[in-house]
Amino acid sequence: MISSTRQIASAAFGTTQRRWIASTSRSSRAMPFIPDHTSASPSSLSMKSEPMRLLMLAKPGSGKGTLSGRLTSKYNVQFVSTGDMLREEIKAGTEVGKQAEGIVAGGGLVPDELMIKLLGTSLESSSMKGKSWILDGFPRTLVQGERLDRYLGSTGQPLGLIVHLDVPDEIIMGRISDRWIHPSSGRIYNNSYNRPKVEGLDDVTGEPLVRRADDNPEIFARRLKSFYAQTAPLLEYYRSTAPSNLVTLSGKTSDEIWPQLESLVRSRFGSLKSKSETKRVVPEAVIRRAEREISRDHRDFISSMVPIIPAAY
């Protein structure tokens, strides 16, 4: 009776749920500035009980969005994109948004201090306290990495894992001409391996897909060159300051890298649960009340079944 009561109460409360997607990659060669033997192997990492705080570094077109989307779709993980936050602040006309809008309109780069302030507003919000998250878009340079570490250290939530996706340049260059994007959601499709169900239309909304203006070989080659110049020092910084937290995953597609990434985060963070594993805890008071009501109804039902004995007997 008690166990069935708890099942009934749990069913009444239901289970939790949540979101997202995008593109991807594997490599037979390690990038020249980050030899694999200097990064920690997944098996050498000890399990942590605190929330997952993950930074993913990858060349443009490596499938970072796709892999992040798979994590947030399957697990209780928040995707923290500084680019998305910046656009939202500008749209909402906040103080930070107004400062950023003027800088962006003038073709400048948003100062690191402003980005840290923006990031802090998100990570210190009540909805993010104690939650697992993936950070995207920041840091991109050594100086930004140092400033981010100081900020996260001061708030007691340092990065727990830095994942570097190693995808060959030729694979990335070969796929960009097939890439299509759904602007409002960021969902990414590719005619080579992740085609939309209906040509040219988003699977979820049915809205038209578009190409990014910089998805052409010349511009992309410049973006890759910029990545190497900026990110090599950043990777070296993490290798020297947090060698056990830096892991390189290699592959040509997201499907090749995904099993490596999922195995890594599951073995590293004991608190990370899939959405199917996470259920709402039913308050004990609710269970007790349900038990009393079912017990009372059971007694009433039994009483109604007792035959009325004639007085003569």
Side-chain angles (χ1 to χ4, degrees):
M1 173 67 72
I2 297 298
S3 61
S4 62
T5 300
R6 292 175 183 271
Q7 291 170 1
I8 293 171
S10 297
F13 269 69
T15 58
T16 56
Q17 268 190 314
R18 259 200 51 104
R19 117 169 196 165
W20 201 122
I21 31 183
S23 144
T24 41
S25 329
R26 162 151 174 129
S27 125
S28 56
R29 65 175 182 83
M31 294 173 69
F33 54 84
I34 179 164
D36 286 345
H37 67 269
T38 60
S39 296
S41 64
S43 61
S44 70
L45 302 174
S46 58
M47 182 174 285
K48 299 183 178 183
S49 59
E50 70 260 24
M52 181 182 78
R53 293 185 287 270
L54 168 64
L55 171 64
M56 203 179 297
L57 298 173
K59 289 173 281 191
S62 293
K64 182 173 60 174
T66 297
L67 294 166
S68 296
R70 290 185 184 184
L71 281 175
T72 57
S73 294
K74 186 171 182 178
Y75 297 95
N76 291 297
V77 177
Q78 307 293 317
F79 184 68
V80 182
S81 167
T82 52
D84 289 347
M85 287 190 292
L86 195 58
R87 284 185 285 273
E88 289 173 5
E89 293 289 320
I90 291 175
K91 184 177 179 180
T94 64
E95 179 185 348
V96 172
K98 290 176 181 177
Q99 294 179 53
E101 185 174 26
I103 296 169
V104 172
L109 296 175
V110 178
D112 295 345
E113 295 80 5
L114 196 58
M115 293 303 294
I116 291 290
K117 182 178 180 181
L118 181 64
L119 188 59
T121 300
S122 174
L123 296 182
E124 293 180 36
S125 65
S126 57
S127 62
M128 290 292 290
K129 287 290 186 181
K131 299 290 180 64
S132 291
W133 45 257
I134 305 170
L135 179 58
D136 178 62
F138 191 92
R140 296 180 186 273
T141 67
L142 171 59
V143 173
Q144 290 176 349
E146 293 172 336
R147 288 178 173 171
L148 177 65
D149 268 1
R150 285 196 294 271
Y151 163 72
L152 293 176
S154 70
T155 59
Q157 47 182 344
L159 290 171
L161 183 62
I162 301 104
V163 172
H164 169 233
L165 304 181
D166 181 17
V167 181
D169 291 359
E170 59 271 21
I171 296 294
I172 294 174
M173 294 297 290
R175 75 160 62 112
I176 60 168
S177 59
D178 289 334
R179 187 161 73 166
W180 293 84
I181 295 176
H182 180 238
S184 60
S185 70
R187 281 184 287 272
I188 299 176
Y189 300 88
N190 194 288
N191 290 337
S192 300
Y193 58 87
N194 183 35
R195 302 177 69 91
K197 295 175 182 177
V198 178
E199 193 71 25
L201 300 179
D202 176 52
D203 288 351
V204 179
T205 65
E207 296 171 344
L209 302 175
V210 302
R211 288 188 185 279
R212 281 178 49 159
D214 56 357
D215 274 359
N216 67 71
E218 294 75 21
I219 293 179
F220 220 80
R222 290 200 295 269
R223 291 182 66 194
L224 284 175
K225 184 177 180 180
S226 175
F227 172 85
Y228 281 111
Q230 292 184 338
T231 311
L234 182 59
L235 288 169
E236 286 295 338
Y237 166 73
Y238 285 127
R239 186 178 298 113
S240 63
T241 60
S244 64
N245 286 347
L246 177 61
V247 180
T248 295
L249 302 180
S250 300
K252 293 181 180 178
T253 68
S254 291
D255 288 342
E256 290 182 10
I257 296 178
W258 168 245
Q260 302 175 57
L261 178 61
E262 184 174 31
S263 175
L264 172 63
V265 298
R266 285 301 298 248
S267 64
R268 186 70 183 269
F269 299 98
S271 63
L272 188 65
K273 303 295 182 184
S274 68
K275 292 178 179 178
S276 62
E277 293 176 299
T278 308
K279 297 182 179 181
R280 288 183 183 173
V281 176
V282 181
E284 191 66 24
V286 173
I287 294 176
R288 295 301 179 207
R289 185 167 66 247
E291 289 172 350
R292 288 196 299 271
E293 291 176 355
I294 291 175
S295 179
R296 183 194 61 213
D297 292 344
H298 179 68
R299 288 197 307 272
D300 291 345
F301 174 74
I302 294 300
S303 298
S304 68
M305 296 297 292
V306 176
I308 299 174
I309 309 297
Y313 290 87

